[in-house]
Amino acid sequence: LVGNINGQYQDLLNMFDSCGFPPDSQYLFLGSYVDRGRQSLESIALLFAYKVSRFLLSSRHYDTMFGGLIFD
């Protein structure tokens, strides 16, 4: 169970390094993937590259930003 990433790419890599990389380890990401960090694009691209999109929950912030689009 993973809280806000906020575009912190290095933190995301450290978490994967400590807890295991997908698909060897399973994660549920709760939101705020690309909000404040300098490497927001890298963070979301890595999550999609590992095909963890089915384990990404959308927050109200993203529903508004993308017009209700939910990634599946």
Side-chain angles (χ1 to χ4, degrees):
L1 185 61
V2 181
N4 298 343
I5 297 170
N6 291 323
Q8 300 297 324
Y9 184 69
Q10 191 60 47
D11 291 345
L12 182 61
L13 289 178
N14 289 339
M15 183 194 59
F16 284 156
D17 192 41
S18 296
C19 301
F21 285 82
D24 297 330
S25 297
Q26 294 183 359
Y27 297 92
L28 176 63
F29 294 91
L30 300 179
S32 292
Y33 314 109
V34 295
D35 198 10
R36 299 179 188 108
R38 301 179 112 196
Q39 294 180 299
S40 293
L41 180 60
E42 292 89 340
S43 298
I44 197 70
L46 181 64
L47 293 174
F48 284 136
Y50 278 120
K51 298 182 181 180
V52 296
S53 61
R54 62 188 149 177
F55 301 110
L56 300 174
L57 298 180
S58 180
S59 67
R60 200 175 294 194
H61 172 75
Y62 291 114
D63 285 347
T64 303
M65 192 164 112
F66 293 112
L69 177 66
I70 304 296
F71 296 97
D72 186 16

